[in-house]
């Protein structure tokens, strides 16, 4: 008993911290005694990844996003109304009609919630792919955001795509498909016009920003050229002080470059034949 009492127990906050995590703590100046490994993991994936859902297949994109959410990433999916479902519009309408009829006879208010907006349909599809009743799945679902269109905080950020979930890479060109916007519009979603109006305003803002950026880049290039010409002029003046004739040197260089570009290649010389004396 005395032997076990002599052993010093490590602090409670550092239990379960690996040596690799301790090295990371030291590099970042974090005291491992006052910060546990779980708090360190909360700092790992603070950056949000914005995914543009246009042209993606619904099920394949949901499977990829669900896996990344369970791994701890924060994901924002925009333009959910442009997602694609394989099959014709009539077939998908029949499937959605059967889904809407699912209810509980005793108390229908406790039955399924039949969402009709594209973003809510996307989120509910991911719900079935993760253990949402467990703490891990609950926290994973809290790291997901889905929107119709591209709202303000994300319209100026870089948007990514998932190539393995694109229709162009996963479906043959002659296979029928339906855009989620068209399906939701026929089952009760009434905000399509509002989303289109906001998207038109966003596109117009993007055009104005692009034109202003092009003008600013053009001015920057002109400024760099002027600075470069001024520096070259100073160098030419210094060379002229030592007796170099800059104008003749430039003319000779231009003539040499013209001769190099217009001279025939060795292959042309080998294939050309002179007429024989006979």
């Amino acid at each position: 008993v005395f032997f076990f009492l002599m052993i010093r127990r490590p602090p409670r906050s550092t239990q379960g911290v690996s040596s690799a995590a301790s090295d990371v703590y030291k590099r970042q100046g974090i005291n491992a005694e006052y910060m546990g490994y779980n708090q360190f993991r909360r700092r790992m994936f603070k950056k949000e990844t914005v995914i543009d859902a246009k042209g993606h297949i619904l099920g394949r994109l949901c499977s990829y996003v669900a896996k990344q959410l369970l791994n701890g990433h924060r994901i924002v999916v925009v333009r959910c109304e442009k997602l694609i479902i394989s099959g014709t519009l009539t077939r998908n309408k029949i499937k959605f009609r059967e889904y809407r009829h699912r209810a509980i006879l005793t108390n229908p208010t406790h039955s399924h919630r039949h969402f009709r907006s594209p973003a809510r349909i996307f989120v509910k599809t991911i719900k079935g792919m993760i253990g949402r009743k467990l703490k891990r799945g609950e926290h994973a679902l809290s790291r997901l955001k889905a929107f119709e269109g591209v709202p303000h905080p994300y319209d100026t950020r870089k948007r990514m795509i998932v190539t393995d979930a694109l229709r162009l890479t996963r479906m043959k060109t002659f296979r029928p498909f339906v855009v989620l916007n068209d399906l939701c519009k026929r089952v009760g979603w009434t905000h399509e016009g509002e989303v289109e109006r906001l998207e038109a305003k966003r596109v117009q803002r993007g055009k104005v920003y692009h034109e202003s950026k092009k003008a600013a880049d053009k001015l920057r290039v002109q400024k760099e050229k002027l600075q470069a010409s001024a520096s070259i002029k100073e160098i030419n003046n210094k060379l002229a002080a030592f007796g170099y004739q800059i104008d003749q040197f430039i003319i000779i260089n231009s003539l040499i470059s013209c001769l190099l570009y217009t001279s025939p290649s060795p292959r042309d010389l080998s294939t050309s034949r002179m007429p024989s004396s006979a």
Side-chain angles (χ1 to χ4, degrees):
V1 176
F2 179 76
F3 174 76
F4 286 107
L5 290 175
M6 290 296 293
I7 297 176
R8 184 181 177 184
R9 185 178 180 182
R12 185 179 297 273
S13 59
T14 58
Q15 289 184 356
V17 180
S18 61
S19 59
S22 300
D23 296 339
V24 174
Y25 287 152
K26 292 177 182 178
R27 287 197 300 269
Q28 294 187 358
I30 300 172
N31 191 354
E33 294 184 1
Y34 300 102
M35 183 176 179
Y37 182 63
N38 291 332
Q39 295 180 6
F40 170 72
R41 289 196 63 181
R42 294 192 191 102
R43 297 160 55 100
M44 291 174 64
F45 301 111
K46 283 195 172 182
K47 182 180 178 181
E48 290 182 334
T49 303
V50 183
I51 297 178
D52 190 355
K54 182 180 180 181
H56 291 75
I57 301 175
L58 175 63
R60 291 188 178 272
L61 182 62
C62 287
S63 63
Y64 176 84
V65 172
K67 184 63 176 178
Q68 298 304 319
L69 290 173
L70 291 173
N71 288 338
H73 293 273
R74 300 177 183 273
I75 297 180
V76 179
V77 183
V78 296
R79 292 211 284 184
C80 291
E81 73 277 4
K82 300 296 183 181
L83 283 166
I84 287 173
I85 303 176
S86 60
T88 60
L89 179 60
T90 305
R91 177 184 177 86
N92 284 284
K93 283 171 61 178
I94 294 172
K95 290 170 66 176
F96 199 88
R97 187 189 306 164
E98 294 177 356
Y99 161 71
R100 287 176 59 186
H101 283 308
R102 293 182 182 179
I104 297 176
L105 293 177
T106 56
N107 193 350
T109 59
H110 294 171
S111 62
H112 302 273
R113 292 188 178 181
H114 310 292
F115 299 113
R116 294 169 177 82
S117 66
R120 300 302 295 270
I121 290 175
F122 178 80
V123 172
K124 191 170 182 181
T125 307
I126 292 180
K127 268 187 179 181
M129 297 183 179
I130 60 179
R132 60 183 180 83
K133 294 184 179 180
L134 302 176
K135 283 295 181 181
R136 186 191 179 200
E138 183 182 349
H139 292 312
L141 204 60
S142 66
R143 291 189 288 268
L144 173 67
K145 296 179 183 178
F147 301 98
E148 293 95 6
V150 187
H152 163 62
Y154 309 106
D155 57 350
T156 57
R157 296 187 188 179
K158 184 178 181 181
R159 296 188 288 273
M160 312 296 290
I161 62 171
V162 183
T163 55
D164 290 340
L166 288 173
R167 182 186 66 86
L168 296 176
T169 60
R170 288 297 179 179
M171 286 181 61
K172 295 180 180 179
T173 55
F174 59 87
R175 297 297 183 188
F177 65 91
V178 59
V179 182
L180 191 58
N181 184 21
D182 297 336
L183 178 63
C184 294
K185 183 174 61 176
R186 286 168 172 78
V187 296
W189 186 52
T190 58
H191 298 288
E192 180 195 9
E194 188 70 16
V195 173
E196 290 181 353
R197 183 180 64 83
L198 294 174
E199 281 293 286
K201 291 175 65 175
R202 181 186 64 83
V203 172
Q204 186 62 29
R205 288 197 306 268
K207 288 182 180 179
V208 173
Y209 170 75
H210 181 65
E211 294 297 332
S212 62
K213 186 178 179 182
K214 283 176 61 177
D217 291 342
K218 187 175 180 180
L219 292 175
R220 180 177 54 81
V221 171
Q222 291 177 357
K223 184 178 179 180
E224 291 177 355
K225 286 183 178 180
L226 290 175
Q227 292 176 353
S229 62
S231 61
I232 292 173
K233 188 175 181 180
E234 294 178 0
I235 295 173
N236 292 340
N237 293 334
K238 291 181 180 179
L239 291 175
F242 289 102
Y244 291 98
Q245 296 180 359
I246 307 301
D247 297 334
Q248 295 180 2
F249 182 72
I250 294 174
I251 293 172
I252 292 171
N253 279 343
S254 62
L255 289 174
I256 291 173
S257 63
C258 291
L259 290 174
L260 289 175
Y261 281 113
T262 56
S263 60
S265 62
R267 183 178 178 181
D268 296 335
L269 292 175
S270 62
T271 54
S272 61
R273 295 173 178 246
M274 298 293 293
S276 60
S277 58

